[in-house]
């Protein structure tokens, strides 16, 4: 990946405001609704982060890529990609965001 490609990626802080079951997904996943603040708003995403409970996800600040386009996941439209590290056991450890960050803040 060239530097220009990397810097064209729009990564922002978002806050998960709603978590729903996603039984139609081929792999275990949640439907997440992530708020990015004024100018961006609420974006849905499907995330294979079932190692977190709905309660752990609700209200959590996350890092997400918001300009990758829309992806059809089963009967659901995913409009952002929540970022995390893939651990040895294959689960996703969501990136930590400082409490001082606000939804919509750009990631540098």
């Amino acid at each position: 990946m060239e530097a220009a490609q990397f810097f064209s990626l729009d990564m922002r802080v978002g806050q998960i405001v709603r978590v729903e079951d996603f039984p139609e997904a081929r792999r275990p996943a949640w439907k997440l609704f992530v708020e990015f603040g004024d100018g961006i708003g609420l974006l849905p995403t499907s995330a294979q982060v079932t190692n977190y409970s709905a309660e752990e996800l609700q209200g959590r600040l996350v890092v997400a890529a918001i300009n990758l386009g829309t992806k059809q996941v089963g009967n659901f439209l995913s409009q952002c990609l929540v970022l995390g590290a893939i651990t040895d056991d294959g689960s996703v450890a969501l990136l930590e965001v400082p409490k001082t960050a606000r939804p919509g803040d750009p990631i540098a």
Side-chain angles (χ1 to χ4, degrees), residues 45-59:
T45 188
S46 169
Q48 295 174 7
V49 292
T50 54
N51 49 306
Y52 294 90
S53 69
E55 293 77 21
E56 289 174 301
L57 293 169
Q58 183 73 36

Side-chain angles (χ1 to χ4, degrees), residues 21-82:
D21 290 328
F22 194 5
E24 305 87 6
R26 278 186 273 154
R27 293 185 182 174
W30 293 110
K31 291 179 184 177
L32 304 179
F33 297 83
V34 185
E35 177 59 51
F36 292 95
D38 295 339
I40 300 168
L42 186 69
L43 297 178
T45 188
S46 169
Q48 295 174 7
V49 292
T50 54
N51 49 306
Y52 294 90
S53 69
E55 293 77 21
E56 289 174 301
L57 293 169
Q58 183 73 36
R60 183 186 179 106
L61 293 175
V62 293
V63 175
I66 64 166
N67 66 335
L68 298 175
T70 299
K71 182 177 179 184
Q72 183 85 37
V73 182
N75 62 351
F76 186 71
L77 293 179
S78 185
Q79 297 181 325
C80 64
L81 176 66
V82 174

Side-chain angles (χ1 to χ4, degrees), residues 1-15 34-37 40 43 61-69 79-84 95-97 101-108:
M1 174 184 285
E2 294 181 25
Q5 289 175 303
F6 176 78
F7 288 111
S8 70
L9 188 59
D10 190 357
M11 294 182 288
R12 301 288 180 123
V13 173
Q15 184 170 33
V34 185
E35 177 59 51
F36 292 95
I40 300 168
L43 297 178
L61 293 175
V62 293
V63 175
I66 64 166
N67 66 335
L68 298 175
Q79 297 181 325
C80 64
L81 176 66
V82 174
L83 302 177
L95 300 182
E96 295 290 324
V97 179
R102 296 285 172 247
D105 284 353
I107 301 299

Side-chain angles (χ1 to χ4, degrees), residues 84-102:
I86 300 173
T87 63
D88 286 342
D89 68 2
S91 64
V92 177
L94 293 172
L95 300 182
E96 295 290 324
V97 179
K99 299 289 183 209
T100 56
R102 296 285 172 247

